[in-house]
Amino acid sequence: MAFQLLDKVPISSIFLALDNPRHVELTTEDKVIEYLCDKEDVWALARDIAHHGLNPTERFALVPEPRQAGVYRVAEGNRRLCALKLLSDPDRAPARLRKGFEGLAKLRTIKTVPAAVFANDEEVRFWLARIHNGPQGGIGRKPWNSEQQQRFSGSNKNRVAQSFLDYAVAEGMLTEEQRKGKLTTVQRFLGIDVFREAMGLDQNNPEELARTRPKDEFDAIARRFIRDLLDTNTDPRPVNSRMNKREITAYSRPLGSLPGVTATRIEPEPLSTPGGNPSSKKGGNRKTKPKKPEKAKHVEHSAEIESALKSYGNFKLESLYHSICSVELDGHTPLVCIGAWAFFETLTACAGRNEKTSFHDFFSNSHLANYGITGKVTALRAAISRVSEYGNTTKHHPTAATFNGDQLNNDMVALKEVILKCIAEAASKTT
C-alpha cells in the first residue's frame, strides 16, 4: 500500500468525487457542490477555514486521474475541497450562498493543499475504512466519550470536576468503572458555592485543585459525597443530576458537621495522591506559592444549631438563622450583619434578657461561666461585641456600614457554643 506525500497540490488540479459515500453517484461537480452545500454543512466548514485555515493534522487523500497527468480525484476530503473551491471561486456556489462566500473569500483563500497520493481506489480504501467505519475493535478511529470530550474541552468547571474525580479514584473512594457517567452530577454540585465552601474546595487554579480543610477532614466530606453519589438504593437518591440549587444547598449544609469535621481552615494545599505528591499537571513535586484562601461566600451553617432551633420551635429564630446562612456575603454583608444582630436580639430575649440590657451585656463573664464556658471568654465576648457593633452601625448610621463578611463568618463560627447554650436556656424558660 504505497503512497506519495505531496505538500502543495493545486486545488485547481483536484476534482471532487462524484461517487462519494456521502451521496448517490452524481454526474457533475456542480451537482456535488449543490448537494454538499445543502446537506453536508459546507458553508459552516468554509467559514471555519476562512477564519482559522485548514486543520494541519489532516491531509487530503487523492487518486490520480488515469488519462490526465498531474490531475487528481479526491478520495478523502470532499467537503473540505468543496469549501476551498467555493472560497477560490464564489460564483460556483449556489445562488443563495454566493454573497456569503464572496465575503469569506476576502478573509482567506487557499490555492494548494497537502495530500497523500495513492495509486488507485483500492489502495486508499484500506485507510478510509480506518477513518469512517468506527472503532473496529481498536484499529479504527475511536470517538471520545462524553467525559473525554469534557476533559478536552477544558472549561473551568469541567476541569474542576475531572480533577476531583481523579482525586477520588486515586484515594480509593470509587473505581474507574463507578465514575463513568458521574461527571455531569459532580459538575452540578461543584458549581454551587455553598457546596464548595462546605467541602473546602479551592478552584482558583483549576490546573491544581486545592483544599482549604485539613486532608482528613476534606476526605471525610468527599467520601460522604461519593457514597451518596453512588447510592442507588435510596429513593429519592441523596445525590443526583436533577437536583436544583436549593436542594444542593440543603444537602451541603450538614457536611460541615460530619463526625471529625471541624471549622478549621488552612492555606490552600493541592489535592494529593495516596503517595502524598501534589496532583498537579505541571511541575510534579515543585513547590508552589501558597494561594490566599477564598473569601467566605456565606456564614457557615451549623447543623447542630439548626437542629436545636427546630427542637426549640421558634419559627422566627429558625427563619433568621436560615437567612443568615443563605444570603451571600459578597454584596450583601450589611444585610447579613443586621440579620445576625436580630438573631442575637431575639435569642437572648427568649432566654430572659430584659429590654434595657444589650445582648453584649447579657453575655457577661458570669453568664458565660454559668454556661460552663471558661478560658476563652474574652475572645468570645469580643466576637459578641463585634456582632452587636456591626449590626448597630449598619442599622443606624446614615453612611457607615460593615462589609467584612469574613470577620462576621468567623465570629458566628466562634460563637457556636454560646448560641447552642443560649438556645437551651431559652428552651428551659418555656418548660
Side-chain angles (χ1 to χ4, degrees), residues 130-174:
R130 298 299 189 273
I131 297 174
H132 294 293
N133 285 352
Q136 304 170 72
I139 65 173
R141 182 172 290 175
K142 186 178 180 181
W144 288 331
N145 61 32
S146 59
E147 185 168 340
Q148 291 163 346
Q149 291 173 13
Q150 296 282 16
R151 183 177 283 118
F152 172 76
S153 64
S155 72
N156 280 358
K157 72 174 184 177
N158 294 341
R159 287 199 296 270
V160 169
Q162 290 285 356
S163 296
F164 176 77
L165 285 171
D166 289 344
Y167 175 80
V169 170
E171 291 289 327
M173 298 179 191
L174 78 169

Side-chain angles (χ1 to χ4, degrees), residues 167 171 173 214-224:
Y167 175 80
E171 291 289 327
M173 298 179 191
K215 186 177 186 305
D216 58 342
E217 297 186 21
F218 177 86
D219 284 354
I221 296 174
R223 288 184 187 280
R224 169 59 66 86

Side-chain angles (χ1 to χ4, degrees), residues 305-306 308-325 338-351 353 355 359 395 412 419 423 426:
I305 292 176
E306 180 184 38
L309 289 172
K310 283 182 183 285
S311 297
Y312 176 46
N314 185 311
F315 180 74
K316 176 183 176 181
L317 283 170
E318 285 185 62
S319 180
L320 280 170
Y321 187 69
H322 172 76
S323 297
I324 291 167
C325 297
I338 295 173
W341 180 91
F343 175 78
F344 278 100
E345 280 276 293
T346 304
L347 179 59
T348 52
C350 292
R353 178 184 59 81
E355 293 183 359
F359 67 74
K395 281 192 304 145
M412 291 295 290
I419 294 171
I423 294 171

Side-chain angles (χ1 to χ4, degrees), residues 8-33:
K8 293 185 178 182
V9 180
I11 64 169
S12 58
S13 299
I14 309 172
F15 287 112
L16 292 167
L18 303 182
D19 57 350
N20 189 277
R22 292 186 183 277
H23 51 75
V24 299
E25 186 169 355
L26 300 171
T27 55
T28 66
E29 273 199 326
D30 288 341
K31 290 183 178 180
V32 173
I33 290 171

